[in-house]
Structure formats: C-alpha cells, structure tokens
Amino acid sequence: MRFNRYTGMAFAGLLTLGLAACEEGVPRVVEMSQNDNGTRTFLAQAVQKGPILVSFFPRNVAATGFEERTIEVMNDNAAQPVKTIFTSNRGQAWDQVQVIYWFGAPKSRSGRDLCGGPAPDISERDGKEIKIIGVLCQGNKLEAEAHGWIASDTAAEDEPYRQLIGSFTKALFKPPITRN
C-alpha cells in the first residue's frame, strides 16, 4: 500500500474516531472472556426451557427502572422466535443459566466471582461514569464476561443505556469461535 497525504488524512480521521469512542461518558462494552464453544445456543435453549434469569447488584437497581429496561432491551436483541427470552422473575426462569449485572463495580474487579459466589457488597461511582460488569453463568461456571461504562447521569430510558445493554447482549451471547 502506498501512503500519500490522503491516506494519512484518512488514517488520522479513523484514529480520531477511535479515540472519541474511548471518551468518558460514551457507552462502551469490552468482551473480557468467552467460552470458545459459543454461548448463543443458550438463547435457543431458553425458547424450549424457559427464560434466562437476569439478576442485578446492588439490589436497589430494580427500583430505578434499570431492571425493567434492561430486560426489555435484552429481549429485543435476542432475535428469537419468542419474545420473552430474559426475565428477572426467578419463579419463571430456567434454573441452569443466568445473567448477572453488577452496577458500580470497582475498576479493579472482574466478574469471575459472580457465578455462584457471594453477592457483591460494594458499589462505586467516580462521578463521571459507572462501570457495569455483565456475566453469563451456567450454574457456577462463568461462560462469558463483559465490562461496560456509561455516564453516571444516564437514565434507564436514555438511548445510550439502550445501546449499552444491546452491546452487552451481543457480547455475552456469541457464536462459537472458529480458529483457522
């Protein structure tokens, strides 16, 4: 490839876009781990076995509207023949698989202990943005983990929150990894 001033300007433009996506307050999700066999099959299994339980920490998240909005957005992004793939109602849920969201996770923490471990007892906000960890668990086994960040003043009905949860859904439920 030959580089000229147009190539350089195009590269600079792409670099600027990439850096803008990393700015604080911009919703973003990073995949941290994934089962190589894929996790998307859990969505199809939920059609047959019942919806996947979605839990939230701290527990007061439900009172702020985030629980209801999260379930709605995840169901919209599941792309399955039935509408209810996810639920926060433990009595309706398929008991083998669950998604857990930890709102206000400390910067240095991962979600590894959320599957089968004790409920997190801390929540942090740095004033500008909030870190959310999402994990997909099969029993006590971690199947997928993603971390997301969003402006701390974002409301559940705001478009950036819908985008964030859509990205979490795609990050947690992936096809198998193929290696060449």
Side-chain angles (χ1 to χ4, degrees):
M1 172 185 221
R2 290 190 57 201
F3 288 96
N4 58 35
R5 69 180 171 148
Y6 299 109
T7 306
M9 289 188 324
F11 178 74
L14 288 173
L15 182 61
T16 301
L17 285 173
L19 291 174
C22 294
E23 291 179 21
E24 287 184 356
V26 175
R28 59 199 187 279
V29 171
V30 176
E31 295 174 28
M32 303 302 287
S33 67
Q34 178 75 38
N35 180 328
D36 287 351
N37 294 323
T39 54
R40 190 174 287 165
T41 58
F42 291 124
L43 297 177
Q45 290 174 357
V47 170
Q48 301 296 320
K49 299 178 180 184
I52 296 169
L53 179 65
V54 181
S55 301
F56 300 85
F57 297 108
R59 300 235 185 259
N60 65 353
V61 168
T64 61
F66 283 95
E67 180 179 301
E68 183 178 327
R69 180 68 169 151
T70 300
I71 300 297
E72 174 188 320
V73 173
M74 289 181 75
N75 279 320
D76 288 347
N77 280 274
Q80 295 298 311
V82 298
K83 185 66 176 157
T84 305
I85 297 297
F86 299 99
T87 183
S88 59
N89 182 334
R90 188 172 293 278
Q92 295 177 346
W94 171 31
D95 63 354
Q96 298 298 309
V97 178
Q98 73 171 323
V99 172
I100 302 170
Y101 286 107
W102 182 6
F103 285 69
K107 290 179 181 180
S108 62
R109 294 290 294 272
S110 80
R112 288 224 170 263
D113 298 332
L114 292 176
C115 297
D121 59 354
I122 54 175
S123 179
E124 293 181 358
R125 292 177 189 242
D126 70 3
K128 294 180 183 177
E129 63 182 5
I130 182 171
K131 178 181 178 183
I132 303 170
I133 293 177
V135 295
L136 172 63
C137 307
Q138 182 177 25
N140 293 338
K141 180 183 174 195
L142 178 69
E143 294 288 344
E145 177 179 357
H147 294 194
W149 295 264
I150 196 162
S152 59
D153 61 350
T154 303
E157 58 277 344
D158 291 347
E159 180 62 17
Y161 185 72
R162 187 194 67 73
Q163 292 171 354
L164 180 84
I165 296 303
S167 295
F168 263 114
T169 306
K170 291 176 182 128
L172 295 175
F173 295 93
K174 304 282 282 187
I177 295 172
T178 56
R179 306 214 191 275
N180 294 335

